[in-house]
Amino acid sequence: MQTEIARTDSELNTNDAVRSAVSALQTGDVVALPTETVYGLGADALNPNAVEKIFSAKERPHFDPLIIHVPHKTALYEVAEISADIAKTVTQLVETFWPGALTLVLPKKPIIPDIVTGGLPTVAVRQANHPIFHRIAKNFGGPIAAPSANLFGLLSPTSCQAVADQLDGRIPLIVDGGACGQGLESTIIKIEPGENKPIIEVLRPGPVTEVELKKFGKVVFSEKNFDVEEAAPEAPGMLANHYAPRETPLRLLESPESFSPEEGKRYALLSYRGQSKDGYVDLHDWDEVSVLSPGSGRVAEAGIRFFHVMRQLDLLNVDEIIAEPVPDRGVGKAILDKLRKATAK
Ligand code: AMP
Ligand code: MG
């Protein structure tokens, strides 16, 4: 299959790109689309044959459920059941964070095919905040199933080139919307009615942080962390590595002392802010030092650059990528989560 790239570098090209993407969705095909988090691989969420193409293009196991994207806020109520005891909180969250990087897991309506949810009675829903995605979603009109546009288990793509690296020849179309503004997958939450206030359970940390969610309920981090591995303990071997570089093993250090290089091996350092005083930059004669948040040490900046920097490091062909820990706060929680999952087991 030839993969076409639709550019959006002029109004004319953007119009063509939107038209091609909508027509792909309407004819039951998949198309890679830019969102503000990472690139998604979209298909008509109500068409099981189209959704099946997402799973086969990504080589994704069917038990791993997809996120669906709605074209406008009120479409949430067409795909999910919202019980009276959490209705107010759901409305507040949607009004505050949508369009944006927050995904709500709610009981699904029968209209959503089982293939989308991996047979679960719940569905994950969000409204993306990206002008081109928005135009495509609005013109298409229905819900779009769209997990990240990468091969299962590998790095999520934050540029058209990163999608093409993994899916070229496997999908008909990529809409090139430039680099993603947030760079990390959406925060996924579940809402339960609590005693005094609602309980917001974070199933996957992401760009919407604990501090922001706290205003709407008691925030707890899921013990089982629903992100695929734990979702299917019956297939642990297959799922040991997630968000992993394609070629190069990655190791997250807990402290500088825990690094002892092997003779003759080439190592690259994934540094948080690239400063000697943090204890990692001068630890070794690194083949390469890549910095997530140059100089300033801001977790939000690190989040935006994370997958891009990981991809660059993976292209170096060193023997191992050594990652410094990032602060366990804000978006840093999401980065740590990914570093832990990408660490070779
Ligand atoms: P993606 O990162 O784009 O591949 O998004 C899919 C992820 O969303 C899955 O791997 C799950 O972690 C999560 N997800 C989707 N649907 C559900 C659901 N019904 N319940 C819990 N988590 C879900
Ligand atoms: Mg993914």
Side-chain angles (χ1 to χ4, degrees):
M1 183 189 301
Q2 181 93 17
T3 302
E4 242 186 84
I5 297 194
R7 308 275 171 207
T8 58
D9 51 358
S10 68
E11 191 49 34
L12 212 61
N13 285 348
T14 305
N15 291 343
D16 280 347
V18 169
R19 219 173 296 125
S20 306
V22 171
S23 132
L25 293 169
Q26 284 167 342
T27 53
D29 237 321
V30 290
V31 51
L33 300 170
T35 82
E36 81 280 26
T37 57
V38 304
Y39 273 70
L41 185 61
D44 179 353
L46 304 183
N47 176 345
N49 293 328
V51 174
E52 175 58 38
K53 292 182 189 170
I54 297 178
F55 285 95
S56 60
K58 282 182 58 99
E59 297 180 13
R60 180 177 177 114
H62 284 86
F63 55 72
D64 189 8
L66 310 178
I67 291 173
I68 70 166
H69 297 255
V70 286
H72 49 86
K73 288 177 194 168
T74 48
L76 169 65
Y77 302 89
E78 292 162 23
V79 296
E81 298 283 357
I82 296 154
S83 59
D85 50 4
I86 61 164
K88 192 171 145 225
T89 310
V90 168
T91 307
Q92 286 172 338
L93 290 166
V94 163
E95 287 304 325
T96 308
F97 296 106
W98 281 14
L102 184 70
T103 297
L104 308 182
V105 170
L106 294 159
K108 81 174 189 80
K109 285 220 162 136
I111 190 177
I112 300 300
D114 285 336
I115 186 171
V116 170
T117 64
L120 291 172
T122 51
V123 62
V125 190
R126 94 169 170 107
Q127 186 195 15
N129 185 17
H130 187 287
I132 292 164
F133 188 95
H134 180 65
R135 273 180 65 179
I136 293 165
K138 214 173 69 182
N139 288 357
F140 177 61
I144 299 172
S148 50
N150 52 278
L151 289 169
F152 181 70
L154 299 187
L155 298 175
S156 300
T158 55
S159 66
C160 174
Q161 189 54 51
V163 177
D165 284 356
Q166 294 194 39
L167 298 182
D168 188 39
R170 304 180 68 93
I171 58 174
L173 180 65
I174 306 172
V175 175
D176 183 354
C180 300
Q182 296 267 11
L184 289 176
E185 296 91 341
S186 60
T187 304
I188 304 180
I189 60 166
K190 209 168 184 166
I191 305 138
E192 306 280 350
E195 299 238 316
N196 305 316
K197 47 181 170 172
I199 296 163
I200 299 176
E201 187 182 8
V202 178
L203 304 177
R204 176 174 75 184
V208 174
T209 61
E210 182 177 6
V211 171
E212 291 173 282
L213 291 170
K214 248 181 9 205
K215 295 172 199 143
F216 304 93
K218 181 176 156 48
V219 178
V220 296
F221 284 84
S222 175
E223 293 247 320
K224 63 176 173 1
N225 194 338
F226 208 105
D227 222 0
V228 293
E229 290 87 345
E230 287 77 12
E234 66 271 23
M238 204 177 154
L239 298 167
N241 270 6
H242 211 64
Y243 306 115
R246 195 167 198 168
E247 308 290 347
T248 324
L250 177 137
R251 179 154 41 121
L252 171 64
L253 296 186
E254 295 301 333
S255 68
E257 297 74 49
S258 50
F259 180 61
S260 45
E262 275 178 51
E263 189 73 36
K265 273 200 173 180
R266 295 168 61 231
Y267 297 94
L269 177 70
L270 177 64
S271 176
Y272 172 49
R273 50 183 195 170
Q275 294 184 3
S276 294
K277 63 180 176 202
D278 294 335
Y280 294 90
V281 171
D282 301 324
L283 199 58
H284 181 71
D285 184 14
W286 306 104
D287 262 67
E288 176 80 21
V289 176
S290 286
V291 182
L292 284 175
S293 177
S296 58
R298 284 180 295 146
V299 281
E301 181 185 34
I304 291 166
R305 289 167 47 76
F306 177 70
F307 280 119
H308 172 71
V309 171
M310 286 273 276
R311 176 169 170 268
Q312 301 296 323
L313 285 174
D314 198 19
L315 296 173
L316 292 175
N317 282 321
V318 295
D319 294 300
E320 198 171 8
I321 300 166
I322 301 296
E324 279 182 36
V326 303
D328 189 10
R329 59 175 151 78
V331 177
K333 273 196 191 301
I335 301 172
L336 276 178
D337 183 50
K338 286 169 211 310
L339 285 173
R340 294 208 172 101
K341 291 193 167 120
T343 286
K345 301 219 169 76

